[in-house]
Amino acid sequence: MTNKIRKAVFPAAGLGTRFLPATKASPKEMLPLVDKPLIQYSVEEAVNSGIESILIVTGREKSPIENHFDISFELEHILREKGKTEMFDQVRAIANIARISYTRQQQALGLGHAILQAKDFAENEAFAVLLADDVVDAEKPALRQMIEVYEKYNAPVIATMQVEGEAISRFGVIDADEVEPDVFKIKDMVEKPSFEDAPSDLAIIGRYILTPDIFDEIENTEKGAGGEIQITDAMRNLLKKRDFYAVKLQGTRHDAGDKLGFLIATVEFALKRHDLGEDFRKYLKSLEL
Ligand code: G1P
């Protein structure tokens, strides 16, 4: 069994109810930050972290994701004919980004259930899970940071960040001891606790490195918060049998699946663009706020 993290799973079957009406007939994973769909940011993160093979767990209405990572025959033909080489290269590169396969989660029964759909794909290897609406803007790719912790401790790793106040109840929350700067050994975890019951201010964010023993736990996990099969509950059960670590990521995490978070991420990414940043900054400064 290889110890290398080569595979990544992208749960993308969710209904995107936080972003209606845009997500009524279009996948939330295809919402663009400036000009690139959310899911492409995290696929690029995975590839830049050493991932070779990707499984996207989709559902009905999600075919634009498959089309995005496929060859676009007509578009490529026209771009080539018109001599738009740069655009052609850009479009073709997306189709060659990684080995991507797809499976369907037929019912939106929760994140744990979505990850369970990757059981055959993972075979007997540890694997990564990335939630595309958590976009992490970081110099060293977020998943790479986690893989380094996985390789050191040889145990599952989840990403965490500090969340102030009541907002903590929108997350999975860990109770943990810091074992080295920004690395924690987890003692307990709970999905979407009330503010009063939250064991700490350390929220789980949408990056995980899991081991294949998680699948048996998911299969034995009852519905939890929101009536869904939660990955946090399955990890909590597995925590009784093996160690889990968490890493506070270097970088900025955006919740791009939320309307305000999406707007903030859009502004941040636009300001960083060489082709747009300067004009956009000028425009923002001209606003009389
Ligand atoms: C999921 C997880 C939760 C985690 C969050 C991070 O929740 O269940 O533990 O804190 O992602 O974005 P969701 O946002 O899908 O409700």
Side-chain angles (χ1 to χ4, degrees):
M1 194 179 112
T2 170
N3 192 32
K4 202 170 168 263
I5 304 296
R6 301 184 305 140
K7 300 181 180 184
V9 178
F10 287 71
L15 298 176
T17 47
R18 290 189 298 158
F19 225 111
L20 281 167
T23 47
K24 185 181 174 201
S26 314
K28 72 169 171 185
E29 293 78 10
M30 292 302 293
L31 291 167
L33 288 181
V34 186
D35 54 7
K36 196 195 285 184
L38 295 183
I39 193 160
Q40 191 181 333
Y41 283 94
S42 37
V43 166
E44 286 174 358
E45 176 193 323
V47 169
N48 292 333
S49 302
I51 295 297
E52 296 161 10
S53 188
I54 286 172
L55 177 72
I56 303 183
V57 181
T58 66
R60 288 175 290 280
E61 314 293 346
K62 298 284 186 166
S63 50
I65 299 176
E66 297 184 39
N67 296 338
H68 185 69
F69 292 106
D70 198 352
I71 286 173
S72 175
F73 194 76
E74 189 178 350
L75 177 64
E76 288 188 7
H77 175 74
I78 290 168
L79 291 176
R80 224 186 327 218
E81 217 171 46
K82 295 198 166 161
K84 301 198 183 239
T85 324
E86 214 171 293
M87 275 186 201
F88 171 85
D89 290 344
Q90 188 189 38
V91 163
R92 173 50 73 88
I94 303 170
N96 291 336
I97 197 164
R99 258 192 336 267
I100 306 185
S101 46
Y102 299 87
T103 191
R104 276 205 185 192
Q105 182 188 14
Q106 294 180 333
Q107 288 174 281
L109 296 180
L111 180 56
H113 182 260
I115 295 171
L116 183 58
Q117 311 308 308
K119 188 175 178 178
D120 291 343
F121 168 77
E123 296 176 299
N124 226 3
E125 284 181 35
F127 60 98
V129 176
L130 295 93
L131 306 187
D133 45 10
D134 280 344
V135 176
V136 189
D137 186 14
E139 214 161 291
K140 183 188 283 186
L143 184 61
R144 185 70 234 156
Q145 298 177 38
M146 297 174 67
I147 288 174
E148 286 170 6
V149 175
Y150 168 79
E151 285 170 349
K152 179 161 178 192
Y153 293 93
N154 205 9
V157 178
I158 60 190
T160 187
M161 69 170 191
Q162 253 155 334
V163 169
E164 312 250 316
E166 307 260 344
I168 193 75
S169 61
R170 295 205 295 264
F171 295 86
V173 183
I174 61 171
D175 184 14
D177 291 325
E178 197 161 12
V179 290
E180 61 175 285
D182 295 337
V183 179
F184 299 80
K185 187 160 185 268
I186 299 178
K187 294 192 286 189
D188 199 5
M189 55 182 115
V190 50
E191 180 67 13
K192 303 201 171 75
S194 65
F195 173 56
E196 294 74 26
D197 292 339
S200 76
D201 61 354
L202 290 173
I204 299 172
I205 62 175
R207 299 286 183 278
Y208 309 77
I209 295 175
L210 297 171
T211 43
D213 48 1
I214 194 67
F215 295 116
D216 281 348
E217 297 299 339
I218 300 173
E219 276 164 344
N220 292 319
T221 296
E222 309 274 323
K223 287 180 182 170
E228 296 187 342
I229 298 173
Q230 297 290 352
I231 191 61
T232 308
D233 294 340
M235 294 192 297
R236 185 175 201 235
N237 291 334
L238 190 54
L239 186 60
K240 296 178 188 131
K241 302 174 194 163
R242 60 148 66 237
D243 292 344
F244 268 76
Y245 287 82
V247 54
K248 219 194 268 175
L249 298 173
Q250 304 293 319
T252 308
R253 174 259 187 191
H254 296 286
D255 181 4
D258 168 76
K259 289 173 190 173
L260 182 59
F262 176 85
L263 291 169
I264 293 170
T266 301
V267 170
E268 297 281 344
F269 278 77
L271 285 172
K272 283 189 182 188
R273 287 276 295 250
H274 298 301
D275 54 343
L276 296 166
E278 203 177 315
D279 289 346
F280 190 49
R281 178 169 283 109
K282 252 189 235 159
Y283 164 71
L284 291 177
K285 279 190 168 160
S286 78
L287 293 174
E288 283 172 27
L289 298 174

